[in-house]
């Protein structure tokens, strides 16, 4: 689920960079819903996020592959995936105090209902996949 979710978010950011304004309709409404202000991210910032998310999807997919060689590269990719998991879980928690105690704006409501749970779920799925693949590798090496 991790690579698919990250890839989907990358595609969503690419669509935004190309001008799609869901959820919103106008630039201002879209910016309010995705960032909590009417200040628009630049196209370069939005494309950067699309590329980062697509790259993260590739890293997470590679991190659970037993075919990744050499072992040092495998460890580096797994470390990057663990970092991505931590960033997603941290992102879910970062806005929580503002979401719960701040003004009940559109972003806070969407973050509490959609964005934070999605981030936490992706982070947990990535961590679970990494944990499971490490167990499978350890089990396979003991059986050999």
């Amino acid at each position: 689920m991790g690579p698919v979710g990250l890839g989907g978010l990358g595609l969503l950011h690419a669509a935004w960079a190309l001008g799609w304004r869901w959820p919103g309709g106008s630039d201002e409404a879209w910016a309010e819903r995705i960032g909590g202000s009417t200040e628009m991210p630049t196209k370069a910032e939005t494309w950067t996020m699309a590329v980062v998310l697509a790259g993260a999807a590739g890293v997470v997919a590679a991190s659970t592959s037993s075919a990744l060689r050499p072992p040092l590269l495998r460890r580096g990719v797994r470390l990057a995936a663990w970092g991505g998991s931590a960033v997603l879980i941290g992102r879910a928690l970062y806005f929580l105090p503002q979401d719960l105690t701040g003004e009940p704006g559109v972003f806070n409501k969407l973050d509490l209902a959609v964005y934070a749970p999605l981030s936490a779920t992706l982070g947990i799925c990535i961590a679970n996949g990494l944990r499971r693949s490490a167990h499978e590798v350890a089990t396979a090496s003991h059986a050999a």
Side-chain angles (χ1 to χ4, degrees):
M1 175 170 167
V4 173
L6 291 169
L9 288 174
L11 288 173
L12 179 60
H13 280 75
W16 287 341
L18 292 170
W20 192 37
R21 292 298 175 249
W22 176 88
S26 69
D27 286 352
E28 293 77 21
W30 174 74
E32 170 66 28
R33 283 167 175 75
I34 65 149
S37 78
T38 56
E39 184 177 326
M40 291 287 295
T42 66
K43 280 190 179 203
E45 291 167 336
T46 309
W47 275 117
T48 298
M49 281 306 302
V51 169
V52 165
L53 288 162
V59 166
V60 170
S63 71
T64 58
S65 169
S66 59
L68 191 61
R69 301 279 188 256
L72 184 59
L73 176 61
R74 179 173 168 74
R75 281 192 291 268
V77 168
R78 288 180 62 79
L79 181 61
W82 276 111
S85 172
V87 165
L88 286 164
I89 294 168
R91 186 263 170 253
L93 298 173
Y94 179 79
F95 290 105
L96 196 56
Q98 172 187 320
D99 293 342
L100 294 172
T101 62
E103 291 183 30
V106 141
F107 173 79
N108 292 354
K109 290 176 184 176
L110 285 170
D111 190 60
L112 198 56
V114 179
Y115 309 148
L118 177 62
S119 292
T121 300
L122 282 172
I124 291 166
C125 286
I126 291 166
N128 190 47
L130 288 163
R131 184 191 56 77
R132 213 177 24 236
S133 69
H135 176 72
E136 290 167 4
V137 167
T139 303
S141 67
H142 288 314

